[in-house]
């Protein structure tokens, strides 16, 4: 669990109810596109990773299919279908093509992402 830091490092990107469960949306955070996901399985969680698919260079990860591979919660890129771990941003098929991950949380019904 991440420790809380000053609120100045967190940005509210949308309301939680604006993200359909088990899908993602794109948000702009300090000039960078971030894919923000609302995952509902046994618990409700939010995740944030870079939105640019490093294999194609296209900003599409927020539109990928959310699922799991073993114990890992992932998104499959809609372009080449590589899987990106939503906790770490790691590309499972080619770790050298991983994307950044960001801390995310829900507070007062809003999704907050830490820069």
């Amino acid at each position: 669990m991440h420790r809380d830091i000053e609120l100045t490092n967190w940005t509210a990107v949308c309301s939680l109810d604006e993200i359909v469960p088990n899908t993602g949306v794109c948000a702009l955070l300090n000039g960078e596109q971030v894919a923000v996901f609302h995952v509902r399985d046994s618990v409700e969680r939010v995740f944030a990773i870079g939105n640019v698919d490093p294999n194609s260079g296209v900003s599409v990860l927020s539109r990928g299919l959310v699922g799991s591979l073993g114990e890992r919660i992932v998104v499959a890129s809609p372009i080449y279908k590589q899987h990106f771990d939503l906790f770490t941003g790691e590309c499972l098929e080619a770790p050298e093509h991983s994307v950044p991950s960001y801390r995310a949380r829900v507070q007062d019904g809003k999704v907050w992402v830490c820069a």
Side-chain angles (χ1 to χ4, degrees):
M1 193 87 181
H2 298 289
R3 66 180 175 82
D4 272 341
I5 59 174
E6 292 182 37
L7 262 168
T8 56
N9 294 330
W10 291 85
T11 301
V13 295
C14 65
S15 295
L16 181 62
D17 61 9
E18 292 179 290
I19 310 174
V20 174
N22 302 317
T23 68
V25 298
C26 182
L28 197 59
L29 184 67
N30 296 332
E32 297 290 325
Q33 287 192 28
V34 176
V36 181
F37 297 93
H38 175 192
V39 175
R40 185 184 293 161
D41 45 22
S42 59
V43 294
E44 196 162 56
R45 296 176 277 186
V46 290
F47 299 94
I49 62 172
N51 192 43
V52 176
D53 177 344
N55 300 291
S56 67
V58 181
S59 299
V60 294
L61 292 182
S62 63
R63 296 188 217 154
L65 295 175
V66 174
S68 61
L69 289 175
E71 295 294 316
R72 297 177 95 167
I73 300 171
V74 299
V75 62
S77 172
I79 304 288
Y80 295 119
K81 311 302 184 230
Q82 283 93 353
H83 298 92
F84 294 86
D85 186 303
L86 292 184
F87 281 103
T88 66
E90 180 185 9
C91 178
L92 302 187
E93 291 80 11
E96 67 275 12
H97 291 228
S98 297
V99 297
S101 65
Y102 303 88
R103 289 182 282 179
R105 68 180 183 201
V106 177
Q107 184 175 347
D108 299 325
K110 293 183 181 177
V111 178
W112 295 77
V113 178
C114 186

